[in-house]
Amino acid sequence: MRTILYIEDDREIGRFVKDDLESRGFSVHWLLSGEGADKSLAKADLVILDVMLPGLDGFTIGQRLKRKQGDIPILMLSARTAVDDKLAGLQFADDYLTKPFHPDELAARIDVLLRRSGKDSVEEIELGHLRINLKENRIETIAGEEILLTAKQHQIFTYLLRHPNQILTKEQLYEGIWQESYQEGDKTLQVHIRYLREKIEKDPSQPTIIETIRGIGYRVKQ
Amino acid sequence: MKRLKRSLLVQYVLIILFATMILPVSMVGLSIVFYNTLYKEESVDRLYNGTDLEEMWHRTAKGLEQATEKEIRDKFGQLNEVYTDANLYWVDAQGMTRVMFPANLSVREQWSATDAIQFMKDHRGLTTDPFTTVAFLGDQGINGFIVFQLPRSDMESPSDKLRAQYNFLFPIALLTVFGVFILISTLFFYRIRKRLLHLQEAMSISDQSGIPSPVAVSREDEIGRLELSFNRMVQEVEEGRLRQIEEEELRKELIANLSHDLRTPLTTIRGHAYRLQQEQLSEKGMESVKLLDEKIKYMDGLIDNLVSYTLLTTGKYPFHPEQIDIVRLVRTSFAAWYPVFENLQFTMELDIPDRQIFWQADPQWLGRILDNLLQNIHRHAADGRFIAIRIQEETLVIEDHGPGMKSKSSFQGVGIGLSIVSLMIKEMNLAWDIQTTTQGTTMTIRQRQRSYTNEH
């Protein structure tokens, strides 16, 4: 079971979020302030931090936690104005959600963060005619036929899977995978996606797995 | 008293007094100096003046009335020692020339009455040279007469010579005194001018905050007091500025806190509305919960807009303009909205070029503008089920087929969202226009000019 460390001083919101997340199958460790957060960090897969806290504020606690365990995903929650907090908060936080948020959205963000950090407990995804094992990096059809991808193709596909239902622009994808800034007009990504589709799509001219959003980018719906 | 001594006015009055006094005082002063140095008592006991000489000669004649020739010779010898260049001789009653000094003097030996009168005619007068004086010896000249002749060149006293030699010094000394006065008054004025200019310079030079730096107070006179007042004013302005910064910070903090305090209960309400939704509800109940959620979302947007609007109008909205690729920015912004419009089954037209187009703008601001405009379409133009975004070199066009902004159905919240867009566009030196009919709305944002000034 995935464990979430949740730091929130408002008892009503805290109670509700804890209940909701627990009903979604998470184990939630709820603290009223940053005190003792260090101790609970080791067991946590993800941290949800409120910005306005008594004593040390959320930013300070978040930075401290990141220093202690750099790979822990942190989701900031704030009821303050997004204007100045957002910039300061996002420097270390992995995501940011403003109150009042919809519980479904919070859950969706948590899913994305966990999957991105590789802490997702879901090992197998079924996507159309494909069955993908994220832990073993194995892709096969429902019929059991294994599909072998090149390193780059695999990287691109995994990147899309780790951002489910999210439209990724050409720039985001290119920069996320090649780790260098995208040059407008570069066709490398398109070429790789065309070859990738030839391997994973049933009909590469009518793609269903990797969707092209014209003028914007690509998306994998799950 | 001390203050009076340091007053510029007093200094000025002193100079003016000095100016009015300098002419007479220096005349008198110089004269005294000249007199004392040049008009010294004559060292040799002899006479130079014609009148004095004449008197002296008549006195001599009186003393020699009954004198023998020897006595006359002795007297003439004495006089000749004093007046070395003088001619002295005695003509006796018979008209014979006797006793001549110097001895080789060429004078007629025998005098007739006519000769005497001719001699007198030739040698008397103010300008005749040599200077001649004649005196009778004895009553009616019974013993003849004696003549004294002195070249006029020998009638100049040494002090006269000295005076003639140094006379030119007097006007020079006078001119020097005037020169000194002009120098002093010029220096006086120049010093005032210099200090005034210094002050003026200090007032026009300002540091980054736009407030001049204090000046060093040089003296305690009127200008010194002006400098003191200037420094006091600078300090007050500086304090005022700091107070204003502090107040603005407080205000910003207050707004942030207000936003927090409003949103926190909204979060709870939204959570509980969601929980209600999970319960078994009637259709009407479900509808109410749905409406509740929508209104919470709407209020959230409203709070955000209010905060943004307040920050924008007070110039406190963080602003960092740079060269940004608007193609990329529009693509990223629209990617987030795509699923929303997709769910509402919009027809989406994206006419975005496949190259970079750079605008000078703040990416956060432009993102906010796009969000507000797309939000607007989502809320108020969803009926048209159409959205188009087109980017050309200088323009960004967003089009919908909604009922138009003036229609009755339009939401009242439109105001603040578009006000923010309008303010941000103006602040970034962009231009925009809206064409709205009942068939739809077209919004165009364009770059006004390439050169961009940061006025924030």
Side-chain angles (χ1 to χ4, degrees):
Chain A
M1 195 190 271
R2 293 150 304 163
T3 307
I4 294 171
L5 172 61
Y6 178 38
I7 306 175
E8 165 72 76
D9 64 317
D10 189 288
R11 284 166 197 276
E12 287 168 7
I13 298 174
R15 178 85 260 153
F16 171 79
V17 170
K18 183 172 153 71
D19 286 354
D20 183 68
L21 289 179
E22 275 172 353
S23 76
R24 288 170 199 264
F26 294 101
S27 155
V28 179
H29 188 70
W30 172 31
L31 296 174
L32 281 167
S33 76
E35 231 173 295
D38 292 7
K39 270 179 274 169
S40 319
L41 186 64
K43 283 176 276 170
D45 295 308
L46 181 134
V47 179
I48 301 175
L49 247 182
D50 185 47
V51 172
M52 287 273 269
L53 289 171
L56 289 177
D57 67 76
F59 293 135
T60 316
I61 295 167
Q63 276 158 345
R64 189 183 281 180
L65 295 181
K66 270 280 173 184
R67 263 202 303 279
K68 216 170 169 197
Q69 197 179 323
D71 62 342
I72 187 102
I74 295 182
L75 175 72
M76 298 295 293
L77 282 181
S78 175
R80 284 165 70 100
T81 166
V83 175
D84 49 350
D85 286 349
K86 212 166 203 166
L87 294 168
L90 279 184
Q91 277 169 8
F92 69 89
D94 299 272
D95 204 357
Y96 190 99
L97 199 57
T98 50
K99 293 177 180 176
F101 52 85
H102 195 281
D104 285 346
E105 192 176 2
L106 179 63
R109 299 274 186 117
I110 291 170
D111 275 342
V112 169
L113 282 180
L114 285 174
R115 185 173 293 180
R116 214 185 289 168
S117 65
K119 286 186 171 154
D120 195 357
S121 65
V122 179
E123 287 180 12
E124 272 200 350
I125 306 168
E126 279 196 20
L127 194 64
H129 66 288
L130 299 176
R131 185 181 293 129
I132 302 139
N133 189 313
L134 288 168
K135 286 264 157 63
E136 295 169 21
N137 287 335
R138 215 151 56 96
I139 302 162
E140 52 183 29
T141 60
I142 303 284
E145 201 181 323
E146 190 169 356
I147 297 171
L148 293 169
L149 300 177
T150 65
K152 268 286 164 304
Q153 287 164 357
H154 195 272
Q155 259 182 305
I156 294 170
F157 195 35
T158 318
Y159 196 83
L160 283 162
L161 287 172
R162 291 211 186 285
H163 296 84
N165 301 318
Q166 202 181 333
I167 299 170
L168 295 168
T169 65
K170 283 183 287 183
E171 295 95 341
Q172 283 171 325
L173 261 176
Y174 187 89
E175 283 161 16
I177 290 157
W178 274 269
Q179 301 291 324
E180 54 188 71
S181 69
Y182 174 74
Q183 299 299 314
E184 199 66 46
D186 190 344
K187 298 284 178 213
T188 317
L189 182 68
Q190 276 98 313
V191 172
H192 273 95
I193 285 181
R194 199 170 72 224
Y195 288 133
L196 175 61
R197 276 175 171 159
E198 275 170 15
K199 286 186 183 170
I200 61 169
E201 298 282 356
K202 266 184 178 164
D203 177 2
S205 62
Q206 297 280 312
T208 54
I209 310 280
I210 301 175
E211 206 184 334
T212 298
I213 311 293
R214 221 178 62 78
I216 305 177
Y218 303 94
R219 172 173 66 180
V220 170
K221 267 192 184 169
Q222 281 176 41
Chain B
M1 192 61 209
K2 201 175 173 186
R3 199 171 176 177
L4 207 64
K5 222 163 98 184
R6 287 180 180 136
S7 165
L8 281 176
L9 182 70
V10 169
Q11 289 180 30
Y12 175 72
V13 166
L14 279 177
I15 285 178
I16 291 297
L17 268 177
F18 183 56
T20 46
M21 303 287 272
I22 194 164
L23 195 69
V25 167
S26 61
M27 287 290 250
V28 169
L30 278 173
S31 302
I32 290 170
V33 168
F34 269 75
Y35 183 84
N36 282 339
T37 52
L38 299 180
Y39 293 74
K40 285 214 179 94
E41 283 293 311
E42 305 303 343
S43 50
V44 186
D45 186 22
R46 61 159 281 186
L47 303 166
Y48 293 93
N49 194 289
T51 321
D52 295 341
L53 284 169
E54 209 167 316
E55 202 184 308
M56 176 273 290
W57 197 240
H58 284 284
R59 240 189 354 260
T60 309
K62 203 128 196 131
L64 293 175
E65 259 175 22
Q66 307 298 327
T68 62
E69 190 181 338
K70 186 175 181 297
E71 279 169 347
I72 292 172
R73 186 173 297 277
D74 287 350
K75 182 70 189 171
F76 276 22
Q78 279 171 20
L79 285 170
N80 191 236
E81 269 168 33
V82 178
Y83 305 97
T84 44
D85 288 342
N87 298 336
L88 305 109
Y89 52 92
W90 169 40
V91 179
D92 66 10
Q94 285 73 44
M96 287 293 288
T97 305
R98 317 254 295 259
V99 187
M100 289 184 291
F101 273 91
N104 57 350
L105 191 68
S106 62
V107 186
R108 66 179 71 243
E109 286 181 15
Q110 185 69 48
W111 295 68
S112 67
T114 322
D115 289 338
I117 292 166
Q118 186 62 44
F119 177 82
M120 290 309 286
K121 262 184 113 164
D122 287 349
H123 289 92
R124 287 299 286 179
L126 287 172
T127 53
T128 52
D129 194 21
F131 164 82
T132 305
T133 181
V134 178
F136 289 119
L137 278 186
D139 282 342
Q140 317 299 314
I142 49 162
N143 284 328
F145 60 92
I146 51 174
V147 177
F148 179 88
Q149 282 188 305
L150 194 67
R152 288 213 182 255
S153 60
D154 199 31
M155 286 172 64
E156 258 179 283
S157 72
S159 55
D160 277 349
K161 283 186 197 149
L162 205 64
R163 212 161 43 232
Q165 216 170 337
Y166 291 105
N167 242 0
F168 69 97
L169 274 180
F170 190 79
I172 286 180
L174 211 57
L175 279 178
T176 311
V177 169
F178 282 132
V180 167
F181 163 68
I182 288 170
L183 192 72
I184 287 173
S185 52
T186 307
L187 274 178
F188 175 73
F189 181 74
Y190 177 75
R191 224 184 51 215
I192 292 178
R193 182 174 173 275
K194 203 176 136 194
R195 287 167 69 200
L196 285 176
L197 280 180
H198 178 69
L199 199 58
Q200 185 255 332
E201 221 167 80
M203 282 184 197
S204 50
I205 299 171
S206 55
D207 59 12
Q208 284 166 335
S209 60
I211 296 170
S213 322
V215 293
V217 178
S218 42
R219 283 152 194 265
E220 283 181 48
D221 54 16
E222 284 89 336
I223 294 178
R225 288 202 293 279
L226 181 65
E227 284 165 344
L228 274 176
S229 306
F230 172 74
N231 286 353
R232 210 159 36 233
M233 188 193 76
V234 166
Q235 199 189 341
E236 270 167 26
V237 171
E238 178 67 27
E239 274 166 14
R241 191 179 67 94
L242 290 177
R243 212 163 35 236
Q244 198 187 344
I245 289 173
E246 205 174 302
E247 273 166 17
E248 276 172 3
E249 277 308 311
L250 274 174
R251 187 184 175 138
K252 205 173 159 187
E253 192 58 32
L254 183 80
I255 289 167
N257 288 340
L258 198 69
S259 154
H260 174 264
D261 294 350
L262 284 169
R263 278 186 173 129
T264 302
L266 274 187
T267 313
T268 315
I269 297 170
R270 194 168 193 187
H272 285 273
Y274 174 77
R275 190 178 271 179
L276 269 181
Q277 217 169 8
Q278 315 297 97
E279 303 289 318
Q280 281 297 103
L281 289 175
S282 66
E283 207 168 300
K284 269 190 175 174
M286 284 299 269
E287 215 171 280
S288 297
V289 170
K290 215 180 136 201
L291 195 71
L292 212 59
D293 194 62
E294 257 171 41
K295 290 295 165 193
I296 291 165
K297 251 162 68 187
Y298 170 68
M299 267 192 79
D300 173 39
L302 208 59
I303 293 167
D304 195 43
N305 275 338
L306 272 169
V307 167
S308 299
Y309 188 79
T310 315
L311 290 176
L312 259 178
T313 49
T314 50
K316 285 284 141 193
Y317 202 101
F319 183 57
H320 308 285
E322 53 184 286
Q323 286 286 328
I324 51 158
D325 175 13
I326 58 154
V327 173
R328 182 181 184 147
L329 187 107
V330 168
R331 207 182 267 145
T332 315
S333 286
F334 194 65
W337 281 92
Y338 190 93
V340 176
F341 292 119
E342 190 184 37
N343 282 342
L344 293 169
Q345 284 152 353
F346 267 56
T347 306
M348 286 176 265
E349 268 182 33
L350 245 78
D351 187 3
I352 300 178
D354 229 6
R355 63 197 159 80
Q356 291 169 301
I357 294 175
F358 285 98
W359 282 19
Q360 177 78 19
D362 181 328
Q364 306 286 337
W365 284 40
L366 209 53
R368 182 65 192 261
I369 289 171
L370 283 171
D371 274 352
N372 278 18
L373 294 178
L374 294 175
Q375 174 85 268
N376 228 28
I377 292 173
H378 172 227
R379 280 207 185 123
H380 314 301
D383 293 350
R385 306 224 182 287
F386 175 85
I387 181 166
I389 297 182
R390 300 177 223 286
I391 298 176
Q392 275 128 31
E393 197 61 47
E394 299 279 313
T395 55
L396 165 62
V397 180
I398 301 174
E399 208 182 312
D400 69 60
H401 287 175
M405 285 189 182
K406 289 186 187 89
S407 76
K408 288 266 189 237
S409 70
S410 88
F411 221 74
Q412 269 133 26
V414 163
I416 196 157
L418 287 187
S419 296
I420 288 168
V421 171
S422 180
L423 268 174
M424 284 182 156
I425 280 174
K426 196 176 149 221
E427 201 77 7
M428 287 197 289
N429 211 19
L430 301 172
W432 78 319
D433 61 59
I434 308 170
Q435 285 176 318
T436 178
T437 67
T438 48
Q439 305 302 306
T441 304
T442 307
M443 281 172 286
T444 311
I445 299 171
R446 65 172 59 84
Q447 227 183 354
R448 196 169 274 164
Q449 66 237 22
R450 281 258 171 257
S451 65
Y452 176 84
T453 49
N454 182 2
E455 288 171 349
H456 202 70

